[in-house]
Amino acid sequence: MGQLLVGEKARLRAAKEVVRPDLPVGKILDGDCIEAMRSLPSASVDLVFADPPYNLQLGGDLNRPDGSHVDAVTDHWDQFASFATYDQFTREWLAQARRVLKPNGSLWVIGSYHNIFRVGAILQDMGFWILNDVVWRKANPMPNFKGTRFTNAHETLIWASMGEKAKYTFNYRAMKTLNDELQMRSDWVLPICGGQERLKSGGTKVHPTQKPEALLYRVMLATTNKGDVVLDPFFGTGTTGAVAKRLGREWIGCERESIYRQAALERIELALPLDESALTTMQSARSAPKVAFGVLVETGLIAPGTMVSDKKRIITAQVRADGSLVAGAETGSIHGLGAKLQGAPSCNGWSFWHLEHEGELKPLDALRQLYLLATED
């Protein structure tokens, strides 16, 4: 009997590791997201990340003080006749999101003050249980050109489970490592999408509200596991798919705009999945400087899988997806592992560990300073 139970447990574990064959993973479903989600089996996805239209209610063009035009959201997909129309749309897509989520799955929704409170009330009415609201504080927000209000320097994310007693995934230890051994807080300081990451065509943005990959990286690393299926009903240019591929998660997108679908497919094709060892998440115990090492990893300044060493290249380790390091059988933060491998009581990992950057061997602190320069006001 014992052997039978062991065999059954092994079978169940193997079944969990296989994505359902009737799921269109790695595909973008064309058309309206509500209809597209209706084609998916019930209780089939582990996470829904939704970046729905914000219903900005913009009146006319927005110009800078010098008269130049601000590339804001004026697309038809963000236009609704009334709040009642928007609320009905919200109920319909949330109903499908709830149907396709597994009992232990969870939902993330991002929005601005224009819509997030309406969405939050509706999802509570539908039985979702809010676990956190997370403030994404933009390190480099767009200024308020008219000078009539405070600068909108943040957006809000709601993280919810299927119900008050529902189980859900939370990789607490991975988040603590990503934040240099401090508990991850619910206010995240990350730059808006820009530079090479911002998709452009003919000098203009392909999508006006493209989210930074670092934001999705943190969401997925925190609340999914390798092999989990992530559904994005408002796929846009594919940030969710690109990050899911990097982190070894499966993805499904819904997007009705052909220009976005094409941009997303091209982008995801170029995304490189992380090395198997880099996907393993684990942590140790040290304190945090002003910028967590994990921030450099999730923003792409230091890629998971990168090899680091001491200045003399005697001690080496590999960077993993959550900002921890691995050296043989030893793992830990940049500080903790540095101390352990030297047999020392403590270690400043920022100065101890070095990596190749632009043809030179540089301390990690040099990359931290680059990040600070890129994100300073």
Side-chain angles (χ1 to χ4, degrees), residues 41-76:
S42 298
S44 59
V45 304
D46 300 282
L47 182 80
V48 171
F49 178 87
D51 182 10
Y54 287 7
N55 192 24
L56 295 179
Q57 311 111 45
L58 291 179
D61 292 336
L62 182 62
N63 295 309
R64 298 181 178 86
D66 62 5
S68 59
H69 179 67
V70 176
D71 187 12
V73 182
T74 55
D75 304 80
H76 63 90

mmCIF file of all heavy atoms in Angstrom, residues 41-76:
data_model
loop_
_atom_site.group_PDB
_atom_site.id
_atom_site.type_symbol
_atom_site.label_atom_id
_atom_site.label_comp_id
_atom_site.label_asym_id
_atom_site.label_seq_id
_atom_site.Cartn_x
_atom_site.Cartn_y
_atom_site.Cartn_z
ATOM 1 N N PRO A 41 -10.596 26.713 -21.023
ATOM 2 C CA PRO A 41 -11.231 25.829 -20.044
ATOM 3 C C PRO A 41 -11.310 26.487 -18.666
ATOM 4 O O PRO A 41 -10.480 27.333 -18.316
ATOM 5 C CB PRO A 41 -10.298 24.612 -20.006
ATOM 6 C CG PRO A 41 -9.433 24.718 -21.209
ATOM 7 C CD PRO A 41 -9.322 26.169 -21.522
ATOM 8 N N SER A 42 -12.303 26.107 -17.890
ATOM 9 C CA SER A 42 -12.433 26.608 -16.526
ATOM 10 C C SER A 42 -11.283 26.080 -15.667
ATOM 11 O O SER A 42 -10.747 24.990 -15.910
ATOM 12 C CB SER A 42 -13.770 26.179 -15.917
ATOM 13 O OG SER A 42 -14.851 26.724 -16.648
ATOM 14 N N ALA A 43 -10.899 26.865 -14.650
ATOM 15 C CA ALA A 43 -9.873 26.466 -13.672
ATOM 16 C C ALA A 43 -8.611 25.950 -14.353
ATOM 17 O O ALA A 43 -8.107 24.877 -14.027
ATOM 18 C CB ALA A 43 -10.437 25.418 -12.718
ATOM 19 N N SER A 44 -8.090 26.724 -15.310
ATOM 20 C CA SER A 44 -6.961 26.233 -16.101
ATOM 21 C C SER A 44 -5.709 27.095 -16.017
ATOM 22 O O SER A 44 -4.652 26.675 -16.485
ATOM 23 C CB SER A 44 -7.382 26.131 -17.571
ATOM 24 O OG SER A 44 -7.803 27.389 -18.073
ATOM 25 N N VAL A 45 -5.785 28.294 -15.430
ATOM 26 C CA VAL A 45 -4.600 29.155 -15.377
ATOM 27 C C VAL A 45 -4.254 29.486 -13.921
ATOM 28 O O VAL A 45 -5.111 29.477 -13.043
ATOM 29 C CB VAL A 45 -4.776 30.451 -16.194
ATOM 30 C CG1 VAL A 45 -5.141 30.131 -17.627
ATOM 31 C CG2 VAL A 45 -5.796 31.373 -15.572
ATOM 32 N N ASP A 46 -2.988 29.773 -13.696
ATOM 33 C CA ASP A 46 -2.499 30.007 -12.336
ATOM 34 C C ASP A 46 -2.510 31.479 -11.948
ATOM 35 O O ASP A 46 -2.613 31.808 -10.765
ATOM 36 C CB ASP A 46 -1.068 29.471 -12.207
ATOM 37 C CG ASP A 46 -0.998 27.988 -12.487
ATOM 38 O OD1 ASP A 46 -1.369 27.202 -11.594
ATOM 39 O OD2 ASP A 46 -0.592 27.608 -13.606
ATOM 40 N N LEU A 47 -2.369 32.358 -12.930
ATOM 41 C CA LEU A 47 -2.310 33.790 -12.634
ATOM 42 C C LEU A 47 -2.932 34.563 -13.786
ATOM 43 O O LEU A 47 -2.691 34.250 -14.948
ATOM 44 C CB LEU A 47 -0.858 34.247 -12.439
ATOM 45 C CG LEU A 47 -0.663 35.720 -12.066
ATOM 46 C CD1 LEU A 47 -0.930 35.931 -10.586
ATOM 47 C CD2 LEU A 47 0.738 36.202 -12.414
ATOM 48 N N VAL A 48 -3.718 35.567 -13.445
ATOM 49 C CA VAL A 48 -4.194 36.530 -14.434
ATOM 50 C C VAL A 48 -3.569 37.869 -14.094
ATOM 51 O O VAL A 48 -3.732 38.362 -12.969
ATOM 52 C CB VAL A 48 -5.727 36.653 -14.438
ATOM 53 C CG1 VAL A 48 -6.164 37.818 -15.334
ATOM 54 C CG2 VAL A 48 -6.368 35.354 -14.921
ATOM 55 N N PHE A 49 -2.823 38.429 -15.047
ATOM 56 C CA PHE A 49 -2.317 39.787 -14.899
ATOM 57 C C PHE A 49 -3.054 40.645 -15.901
ATOM 58 O O PHE A 49 -2.996 40.395 -17.107
ATOM 59 C CB PHE A 49 -0.813 39.876 -15.152
ATOM 60 C CG PHE A 49 -0.296 41.294 -15.044
ATOM 61 C CD1 PHE A 49 0.082 41.809 -13.817
ATOM 62 C CD2 PHE A 49 -0.248 42.122 -16.159
ATOM 63 C CE1 PHE A 49 0.519 43.127 -13.700
ATOM 64 C CE2 PHE A 49 0.181 43.438 -16.051
ATOM 65 C CZ PHE A 49 0.563 43.943 -14.819
ATOM 66 N N ALA A 50 -3.755 41.655 -15.409
ATOM 67 C CA ALA A 50 -4.594 42.479 -16.279
ATOM 68 C C ALA A 50 -4.196 43.949 -16.204
ATOM 69 O O ALA A 50 -4.090 44.517 -15.119
ATOM 70 C CB ALA A 50 -6.065 42.316 -15.882
ATOM 71 N N ASP A 51 -3.992 44.514 -17.364
ATOM 72 C CA ASP A 51 -3.711 45.945 -17.511
ATOM 73 C C ASP A 51 -4.832 46.515 -18.395
ATOM 74 O O ASP A 51 -4.610 46.827 -19.560
ATOM 75 C CB ASP A 51 -2.335 46.128 -18.145
ATOM 76 C CG ASP A 51 -1.930 47.590 -18.290
ATOM 77 O OD1 ASP A 51 -2.630 48.458 -17.730
ATOM 78 O OD2 ASP A 51 -0.923 47.855 -18.972
ATOM 79 N N PRO A 52 -6.047 46.630 -17.835
ATOM 80 C CA PRO A 52 -7.209 46.991 -18.656
ATOM 81 C C PRO A 52 -7.174 48.459 -19.065
ATOM 82 O O PRO A 52 -6.384 49.249 -18.523
ATOM 83 C CB PRO A 52 -8.384 46.721 -17.713
ATOM 84 C CG PRO A 52 -7.827 46.983 -16.353
ATOM 85 C CD PRO A 52 -6.408 46.474 -16.411
ATOM 86 N N PRO A 53 -8.023 48.853 -20.014
ATOM 87 C CA PRO A 53 -8.140 50.275 -20.343
ATOM 88 C C PRO A 53 -8.435 51.087 -19.080
ATOM 89 O O PRO A 53 -9.203 50.654 -18.222
ATOM 90 C CB PRO A 53 -9.322 50.314 -21.317
ATOM 91 C CG PRO A 53 -9.363 48.945 -21.908
ATOM 92 C CD PRO A 53 -8.917 48.012 -20.825
ATOM 93 N N TYR A 54 -7.807 52.267 -18.983
ATOM 94 C CA TYR A 54 -7.962 53.079 -17.772
ATOM 95 C C TYR A 54 -9.178 54.005 -17.837
ATOM 96 O O TYR A 54 -9.550 54.592 -16.834
ATOM 97 C CB TYR A 54 -6.695 53.928 -17.551
ATOM 98 C CG TYR A 54 -5.489 53.138 -17.068
ATOM 99 C CD1 TYR A 54 -5.509 51.751 -16.982
ATOM 100 C CD2 TYR A 54 -4.315 53.803 -16.713
ATOM 101 C CE1 TYR A 54 -4.407 51.046 -16.557
ATOM 102 C CE2 TYR A 54 -3.196 53.099 -16.283
ATOM 103 C CZ TYR A 54 -3.241 51.725 -16.209
ATOM 104 O OH TYR A 54 -2.144 51.025 -15.780
ATOM 105 N N ASN A 55 -9.780 54.140 -19.032
ATOM 106 C CA ASN A 55 -10.909 55.058 -19.188
ATOM 107 C C ASN A 55 -10.517 56.448 -18.704
ATOM 108 O O ASN A 55 -11.125 57.026 -17.795
ATOM 109 C CB ASN A 55 -12.141 54.547 -18.426
ATOM 110 C CG ASN A 55 -13.414 55.296 -18.787
ATOM 111 O OD1 ASN A 55 -13.526 55.877 -19.860
ATOM 112 N ND2 ASN A 55 -14.382 55.284 -17.882
ATOM 113 N N LEU A 56 -9.480 57.000 -19.331
ATOM 114 C CA LEU A 56 -8.860 58.244 -18.852
ATOM 115 C C LEU A 56 -9.736 59.486 -18.984
ATOM 116 O O LEU A 56 -9.479 60.500 -18.350
ATOM 117 C CB LEU A 56 -7.539 58.482 -19.600
ATOM 118 C CG LEU A 56 -6.437 57.452 -19.349
ATOM 119 C CD1 LEU A 56 -5.207 57.794 -20.162
ATOM 120 C CD2 LEU A 56 -6.088 57.374 -17.872
ATOM 121 N N GLN A 57 -10.755 59.418 -19.816
ATOM 122 C CA GLN A 57 -11.657 60.567 -19.995
ATOM 123 C C GLN A 57 -10.889 61.833 -20.369
ATOM 124 O O GLN A 57 -11.146 62.926 -19.831
ATOM 125 C CB GLN A 57 -12.492 60.836 -18.727
ATOM 126 C CG GLN A 57 -13.189 59.614 -18.146
ATOM 127 C CD GLN A 57 -12.619 59.175 -16.825
ATOM 128 O OE1 GLN A 57 -12.367 59.989 -15.950
ATOM 129 N NE2 GLN A 57 -12.432 57.893 -16.657
ATOM 130 N N LEU A 58 -9.930 61.695 -21.270
ATOM 131 C CA LEU A 58 -9.148 62.858 -21.685
ATOM 132 C C LEU A 58 -9.978 63.756 -22.597
ATOM 133 O O LEU A 58 -10.654 63.280 -23.503
ATOM 134 C CB LEU A 58 -7.877 62.421 -22.425
ATOM 135 C CG LEU A 58 -6.806 61.723 -21.584
ATOM 136 C CD1 LEU A 58 -5.638 61.335 -22.460
ATOM 137 C CD2 LEU A 58 -6.327 62.612 -20.447
ATOM 138 N N GLY A 59 -9.898 65.047 -22.359
ATOM 139 C CA GLY A 59 -10.615 65.997 -23.187
ATOM 140 C C GLY A 59 -9.655 66.794 -24.048
ATOM 141 O O GLY A 59 -8.988 67.707 -23.561
ATOM 142 N N GLY A 60 -9.551 66.466 -25.332
ATOM 143 C CA GLY A 60 -8.665 67.202 -26.220
ATOM 144 C C GLY A 60 -7.221 66.760 -26.116
ATOM 145 O O GLY A 60 -6.869 65.879 -25.345
ATOM 146 N N ASP A 61 -6.376 67.420 -26.900
ATOM 147 C CA ASP A 61 -4.954 67.081 -26.917
ATOM 148 C C ASP A 61 -4.246 67.635 -25.691
ATOM 149 O O ASP A 61 -4.677 68.613 -25.085
ATOM 150 C CB ASP A 61 -4.287 67.646 -28.176
ATOM 151 C CG ASP A 61 -4.771 66.947 -29.434
ATOM 152 O OD1 ASP A 61 -5.224 65.791 -29.325
ATOM 153 O OD2 ASP A 61 -4.700 67.564 -30.510
ATOM 154 N N LEU A 62 -3.137 66.994 -25.349
ATOM 155 C CA LEU A 62 -2.307 67.435 -24.236
ATOM 156 C C LEU A 62 -0.982 67.917 -24.799
ATOM 157 O O LEU A 62 -0.304 67.196 -25.528
ATOM 158 C CB LEU A 62 -2.079 66.283 -23.247
ATOM 159 C CG LEU A 62 -1.264 66.584 -21.997
ATOM 160 C CD1 LEU A 62 -1.953 67.648 -21.147
ATOM 161 C CD2 LEU A 62 -1.054 65.310 -21.181
ATOM 162 N N ASN A 63 -0.622 69.164 -24.462
ATOM 163 C CA ASN A 63 0.605 69.757 -24.986
ATOM 164 C C ASN A 63 1.542 70.192 -23.876
ATOM 165 O O ASN A 63 1.097 70.567 -22.782
ATOM 166 C CB ASN A 63 0.278 70.967 -25.868
ATOM 167 C CG ASN A 63 -0.496 70.581 -27.113
ATOM 168 O OD1 ASN A 63 -0.103 69.685 -27.840
ATOM 169 N ND2 ASN A 63 -1.619 71.246 -27.339
ATOM 170 N N ARG A 64 2.854 70.149 -24.181
ATOM 171 C CA ARG A 64 3.862 70.649 -23.254
ATOM 172 C C ARG A 64 3.874 72.178 -23.306
ATOM 173 O O ARG A 64 3.294 72.775 -24.224
ATOM 174 C CB ARG A 64 5.237 70.101 -23.631
ATOM 175 C CG ARG A 64 5.344 68.570 -23.555
ATOM 176 C CD ARG A 64 6.744 68.100 -23.911
ATOM 177 N NE ARG A 64 6.871 66.656 -23.786
ATOM 178 C CZ ARG A 64 6.567 65.781 -24.747
ATOM 179 N NH1 ARG A 64 6.118 66.229 -25.911
ATOM 180 N NH2 ARG A 64 6.708 64.491 -24.554
ATOM 181 N N PRO A 65 4.545 72.816 -22.328
ATOM 182 C CA PRO A 65 4.614 74.285 -22.331
ATOM 183 C C PRO A 65 5.198 74.871 -23.622
ATOM 184 O O PRO A 65 4.863 75.981 -23.997
ATOM 185 C CB PRO A 65 5.519 74.588 -21.127
ATOM 186 C CG PRO A 65 5.286 73.445 -20.199
ATOM 187 C CD PRO A 65 5.114 72.247 -21.093
ATOM 188 N N ASP A 66 6.079 74.092 -24.303
ATOM 189 C CA ASP A 66 6.659 74.610 -25.550
ATOM 190 C C ASP A 66 5.762 74.372 -26.766
ATOM 191 O O ASP A 66 6.126 74.674 -27.895
ATOM 192 C CB ASP A 66 8.033 73.992 -25.799
ATOM 193 C CG ASP A 66 7.978 72.473 -25.973
ATOM 194 O OD1 ASP A 66 6.857 71.913 -25.994
ATOM 195 O OD2 ASP A 66 9.049 71.853 -26.102
ATOM 196 N N GLY A 67 4.572 73.806 -26.522
ATOM 197 C CA GLY A 67 3.628 73.578 -27.596
ATOM 198 C C GLY A 67 3.703 72.211 -28.230
ATOM 199 O O GLY A 67 2.826 71.837 -29.018
ATOM 200 N N SER A 68 4.721 71.418 -27.903
ATOM 201 C CA SER A 68 4.856 70.088 -28.489
ATOM 202 C C SER A 68 3.795 69.148 -27.925
ATOM 203 O O SER A 68 3.334 69.297 -26.788
ATOM 204 C CB SER A 68 6.260 69.535 -28.237
ATOM 205 O OG SER A 68 6.522 69.462 -26.851
ATOM 206 N N HIS A 69 3.414 68.166 -28.725
ATOM 207 C CA HIS A 69 2.332 67.258 -28.365
ATOM 208 C C HIS A 69 2.821 66.151 -27.436
ATOM 209 O O HIS A 69 3.900 65.595 -27.619
ATOM 210 C CB HIS A 69 1.737 66.647 -29.637
ATOM 211 C CG HIS A 69 0.630 65.664 -29.368
ATOM 212 N ND1 HIS A 69 -0.587 66.034 -28.843
ATOM 213 C CD2 HIS A 69 0.572 64.325 -29.558
ATOM 214 C CE1 HIS A 69 -1.352 64.975 -28.722
ATOM 215 N NE2 HIS A 69 -0.671 63.914 -29.145
ATOM 216 N N VAL A 70 2.014 65.831 -26.432
ATOM 217 C CA VAL A 70 2.307 64.724 -25.522
ATOM 218 C C VAL A 70 1.626 63.477 -26.060
ATOM 219 O O VAL A 70 0.419 63.481 -26.338
ATOM 220 C CB VAL A 70 1.808 65.019 -24.092
ATOM 221 C CG1 VAL A 70 2.044 63.810 -23.196
ATOM 222 C CG2 VAL A 70 2.512 66.239 -23.530
ATOM 223 N N ASP A 71 2.415 62.402 -26.209
ATOM 224 C CA ASP A 71 1.881 61.145 -26.739
ATOM 225 C C ASP A 71 1.127 60.422 -25.632
ATOM 226 O O ASP A 71 1.654 59.537 -24.967
ATOM 227 C CB ASP A 71 3.042 60.282 -27.255
ATOM 228 C CG ASP A 71 2.554 59.030 -27.968
ATOM 229 O OD1 ASP A 71 1.354 58.955 -28.257
ATOM 230 O OD2 ASP A 71 3.383 58.138 -28.217
ATOM 231 N N ALA A 72 -0.132 60.818 -25.400
ATOM 232 C CA ALA A 72 -0.944 60.235 -24.339
ATOM 233 C C ALA A 72 -1.905 59.197 -24.921
ATOM 234 O O ALA A 72 -1.914 58.935 -26.124
ATOM 235 C CB ALA A 72 -1.713 61.331 -23.608
ATOM 236 N N VAL A 73 -2.720 58.596 -24.052
ATOM 237 C CA VAL A 73 -3.657 57.564 -24.486
ATOM 238 C C VAL A 73 -4.906 58.224 -25.067
ATOM 239 O O VAL A 73 -5.733 58.758 -24.333
ATOM 240 C CB VAL A 73 -4.056 56.645 -23.314
ATOM 241 C CG1 VAL A 73 -4.997 55.559 -23.805
ATOM 242 C CG2 VAL A 73 -2.822 56.028 -22.690
ATOM 243 N N THR A 74 -5.035 58.210 -26.385
ATOM 244 C CA THR A 74 -6.227 58.751 -27.044
ATOM 245 C C THR A 74 -6.858 57.704 -27.951
ATOM 246 O O THR A 74 -7.698 58.023 -28.778
ATOM 247 C CB THR A 74 -5.855 59.999 -27.879
ATOM 248 O OG1 THR A 74 -4.809 59.634 -28.793
ATOM 249 C CG2 THR A 74 -5.376 61.123 -26.987
ATOM 250 N N ASP A 75 -6.453 56.444 -27.808
ATOM 251 C CA ASP A 75 -6.918 55.374 -28.684
ATOM 252 C C ASP A 75 -8.365 54.999 -28.384
ATOM 253 O O ASP A 75 -8.864 55.160 -27.256
ATOM 254 C CB ASP A 75 -6.023 54.144 -28.514
ATOM 255 C CG ASP A 75 -4.565 54.457 -28.774
ATOM 256 O OD1 ASP A 75 -3.910 55.000 -27.852
ATOM 257 O OD2 ASP A 75 -4.086 54.198 -29.879
ATOM 258 N N HIS A 76 -9.022 54.425 -29.390
ATOM 259 C CA HIS A 76 -10.436 54.087 -29.249
ATOM 260 C C HIS A 76 -10.672 53.032 -28.180
ATOM 261 O O HIS A 76 -11.732 53.004 -27.550
ATOM 262 C CB HIS A 76 -10.990 53.597 -30.599
ATOM 263 C CG HIS A 76 -10.347 52.337 -31.083
ATOM 264 N ND1 HIS A 76 -10.821 51.092 -30.772
ATOM 265 C CD2 HIS A 76 -9.248 52.135 -31.856
ATOM 266 C CE1 HIS A 76 -10.057 50.166 -31.326
ATOM 267 N NE2 HIS A 76 -9.086 50.774 -31.991
#
